[in-house]
Amino acid sequence: MTQAQRIKYSIVISILVLLLMLGLSWLQSTGAISEKLFQYIAIATAVLVVVINGVMRRRVK
């Protein structure tokens, strides 16, 4: 993986996380999910993104 590929993937991941958080906020405001579930999903997403970023960083040549 090159540095340019890592940057592209990082941008895509950040857009996906933003869309996920907006969707979760909307679901919470409509009452479909609770505050606790929102927090758990947000924390899991953050951990997943950190792990993916670490893996991508190690694969840059």
Side-chain angles (χ1 to χ4, degrees):
M1 174 178 291
T2 65
Q3 188 67 26
Q5 286 175 322
R6 180 175 173 239
I7 291 171
K8 288 177 190 174
Y9 286 130
S10 294
I11 291 170
V12 169
I13 289 170
S14 63
I15 291 171
L16 288 175
V17 168
L18 176 65
L19 292 174
L20 177 69
M21 290 300 144
L22 289 174
L24 287 174
S25 296
W26 180 77
L27 285 173
Q28 184 187 0
S29 67
T30 60
I33 62 173
S34 66
E35 176 75 23
K36 275 289 188 202
L37 183 58
F38 177 88
Q39 290 175 354
Y40 289 144
I41 295 172
I43 291 169
T45 302
V47 169
L48 183 65
V49 168
V50 167
V51 169
I52 290 171
N53 194 26
V55 169
M56 284 194 309
R57 182 178 299 165
R58 290 181 186 267
R59 294 183 185 248
V60 169
K61 293 182 180 177

